[in-house]
Amino acid sequence: MPRTEGYRALLAGATGFVGFRLLLQLLEDRRCGALTVMTRRPLPPMPPAGGLRDKLTVITADFDHLEQALADVEADVVFCALGTTIRKAGSQEAFRQVDHAYPLALGEWAKSRGAGKFIAISAMGANASSGIFYNRVKGETEEALRAVGLPELHIVRPSLLLGKRDEFRLGERAAMLLVPVLKPLMLGGLRRYRPVRAEAVAAFMRQTAAAEPIVGSGPAVKIYENAAITESSK
């Protein structure tokens, strides 16, 4: 990837719910000078982006061979928007591969290539000691990424994501119908559980990438809970 004005970014998970929105926003954001996307399947159709599309490079590859696929890529900021569901993955083992093994491999690659920031989507309730499998894997992934020793690790923990999906999810559809009724009642301690639009999560990650570097003597880890994301979108 040639050196350009603005930071060089790598995005993994660009076909996902948040990842695709982040892709579109980064194409329009002139602070991102070059964008490489690594994806396992072709990107969805995208609206015209004028000359800004020239900064996009798409690598379609198997994440089991991440090192080879990214051998010629350099990045200042790495976005990890990888994620699936057990239903979609087909098994707990397959889910763990996508939500744990792949983000960790990406983090290790980022550290080895000198990326300054690694920004990853996790989930509200992520906890390596949780009795809930989903939350436990998310927490284990966060802990594993911490151990990599990235210069800056930014972990974003959104609540229920709102927006139009290609796939039908009964629980999310029901929740979206209830949001207009429940949201005004979610005050005080309940505010942190408010659903957040996928576009807002993508925007939060994009703004985090453009923020000034954290000054310190060692690796920095910042965790952003759902309230920080929803407040930033106002």
Side-chain angles (χ1 to χ4, degrees):
M1 184 188 297
R3 189 60 177 168
T4 61
E5 293 297 325
Y7 65 82
R8 301 165 297 176
L10 169 67
L11 168 60
T15 59
F17 194 41
V18 173
F20 185 63
R21 288 159 174 79
L22 179 56
L23 165 61
L24 297 179
Q25 291 184 22
L26 289 172
L27 285 176
E28 298 288 346
D29 192 334
R30 295 185 182 276
R31 294 171 297 185
C32 174
L35 174 61
T36 298
V37 167
M38 182 176 177
T39 177
R40 292 176 292 172
R41 61 182 187 270
L43 292 173
M46 294 190 292
L52 297 176
R53 187 70 59 83
D54 295 340
K55 70 181 179 182
L56 176 64
T57 300
V58 180
I59 298 174
T60 304
D62 187 338
F63 276 81
D64 289 322
H65 304 288
L66 182 145
E67 286 284 347
Q68 297 94 313
L70 300 179
D72 297 324
V73 176
E74 299 291 338
D76 306 303
V77 179
V78 176
F79 296 97
C80 180
L82 295 168
T84 187
T85 62
I86 296 177
R87 179 181 178 181
K88 195 171 183 178
S91 68
Q92 289 188 346
E93 181 180 358
F95 172 84
R96 184 181 289 276
Q97 186 73 4
V98 174
D99 278 63
H100 181 79
Y102 293 161
L104 178 56
L106 188 65
E108 291 171 341
W109 176 88
K111 174 68 182 299
S112 71
R113 301 305 286 264
K117 292 185 180 182
F118 190 92
I119 306 170
I121 298 178
S122 184
M124 173 181 281
N127 187 333
S129 300
S130 176
I132 301 172
F133 178 77
Y134 179 87
N135 291 351
R136 183 168 67 251
V137 172
K138 292 292 188 182
E140 290 172 352
T141 302
E142 289 185 9
E143 290 191 355
L145 287 171
R146 281 175 178 263
V148 171
L150 292 150
E152 289 188 25
L153 171 61
H154 299 265
I155 295 172
V156 181
R157 292 176 173 175
S159 180
L160 175 70
L161 295 171
L162 299 178
K164 184 178 179 181
R165 288 187 186 270
D166 293 331
E167 59 182 305
F168 178 79
R169 295 185 181 183
L170 179 60
E172 289 186 0
R173 184 65 57 85
M176 283 190 286
L177 293 174
L178 291 172
V179 164
V181 177
L182 296 179
K183 190 172 181 179
L185 304 177
M186 300 178 79
L187 304 174
L190 294 177
R191 184 181 295 273
R192 64 193 183 103
Y193 296 106
R194 284 185 171 185
V196 59
R197 298 198 65 82
E199 288 83 359
V201 178
F204 187 87
M205 296 175 74
R206 182 170 51 85
Q207 296 299 337
T208 300
E212 290 295 319
I214 297 173
V215 178
S217 58
V221 179
K222 294 196 71 173
I223 295 177
Y224 307 93
E225 300 291 354
N226 190 64
I229 306 168
T230 56
E231 288 298 319
S232 72
S233 65
K234 288 182 178 180

